[in-house]
Amino acid sequence: MNAEKRREIFQRLRTANPAPTTELNYRTPFELLVAVALSAQATDVGVNKATKRLFPVANTPEAILALGEEGLKDYIKTIGLYNSKAANIIKTCRKLLEEHDGEVPRDRQSLEALPGVGRKTANVILNTAFGEPTIAVDTHIFRVSNRTGLAPGKTVRTVEDKLMKVTPPEFKRDAHHWLILHGRYVCKARKPDCFNCPIADLCEWPEKPL
């Protein structure tokens, strides 16, 4: 895929959705960190239902530590892997208070040092909470990048590195959200909606029914 086609893809995605953002509900970087930690192998809808109950009661490291691990589980037990997620969130809250004055750090190294926080989560926080031009590659972005030919790669990191290289600078901050939403609602895994896809004519997927 050439640079002109990639630019047109992002241009169309921006025209359709000029101000994309996460579908996780949050008001502070810490709330986003908790929501993203809960979202692994869970839907955003399911996470939002849990945090709608949790955040009015506890939305700071101090407040969640006061709940304790068992207390936290009561709020997130509808979410998959809630036992390990609760343990990691409690450890993260302790580390934030001990090393970062209770604030979510703005650098990748510190974020990835938090329990349960990997590169993808760090990218989401840097991008969505702090406006950094990072691209967190989840299953949706991995699929869209490979299927369309936008940034093919056999591993998540390969796709991330390629997207960072080929995405024009003006689109980098929002590329993450455009591609996730496109994969979630249009370029779906089992039944991609090619007939209602705004970039179908630019897509290089050999199996598209057009």
Side-chain angles (χ1 to χ4, degrees):
M1 181 175 286
N2 60 40
E4 183 180 349
K5 193 180 280 191
R6 289 191 181 98
R7 175 173 288 279
E8 180 62 20
I9 284 174
F10 284 114
Q11 184 67 56
R12 291 188 193 178
L13 294 176
R14 180 169 66 182
T15 298
N17 188 359
T21 189
T22 179
E23 294 188 315
L24 292 169
N25 294 331
Y26 76 99
R27 291 174 297 177
T28 66
F30 178 73
E31 286 187 355
L32 180 63
L33 177 61
V34 171
V36 175
L38 293 174
S39 70
Q41 298 182 43
T43 65
D44 288 359
V45 172
V47 172
N48 287 338
K49 285 181 180 178
T51 56
K52 186 177 181 180
R53 294 177 57 242
L54 172 64
F55 288 158
V57 175
N59 70 339
T60 65
E62 296 93 336
I64 286 184
L65 280 179
L67 280 181
E69 193 169 325
E70 293 306 314
L72 177 58
K73 286 179 186 179
D74 286 339
Y75 288 94
I76 66 170
K77 60 188 176 184
T78 56
I79 296 175
L81 308 175
Y82 73 92
N83 283 312
S84 60
K85 289 176 181 179
N88 279 333
I89 289 170
I90 290 293
K91 292 174 186 174
T92 287
C93 289
R94 196 168 288 124
K95 194 174 182 76
L96 288 176
L97 288 168
E98 290 173 354
E99 300 180 14
H100 302 286
D101 297 320
E103 298 294 324
V104 176
R106 295 188 62 149
D107 66 282
R108 179 184 302 282
Q109 185 176 355
S110 298
L111 284 168
E112 291 187 20
L114 297 172
V117 175
R119 184 176 182 85
K120 185 178 77 172
T121 297
N123 277 337
V124 173
I125 301 302
L126 290 169
N127 177 268
T128 306
F130 300 126
E132 298 290 334
T134 58
I135 301 176
V137 177
D138 70 346
T139 55
H140 296 300
I141 293 182
F142 186 79
R143 179 176 66 255
V144 170
S145 297
N146 275 286
R147 183 184 277 168
T148 63
L150 179 67
K154 293 184 178 180
T155 68
V156 167
R157 183 60 190 271
T158 300
V159 170
E160 179 191 333
D161 289 345
K162 191 154 191 178
L163 281 171
M164 290 299 293
K165 181 180 179 181
V166 303
T167 302
E170 67 185 284
F171 300 116
K172 272 185 181 172
R173 178 171 175 180
D174 292 322
H176 162 79
H177 297 300
W178 284 321
L179 295 175
I180 281 182
L181 295 171
H182 188 68
R184 185 173 289 166
Y185 297 112
V186 181
C187 195
K188 295 172 281 191
R190 293 184 181 178
K191 288 188 176 182
D193 190 5
C194 297
F195 292 101
N196 291 301
C197 175
I199 60 170
D201 59 313
L202 303 169
C203 173
E204 298 183 355
W205 186 38
E207 297 176 42
K208 67 181 178 183
L210 298 172

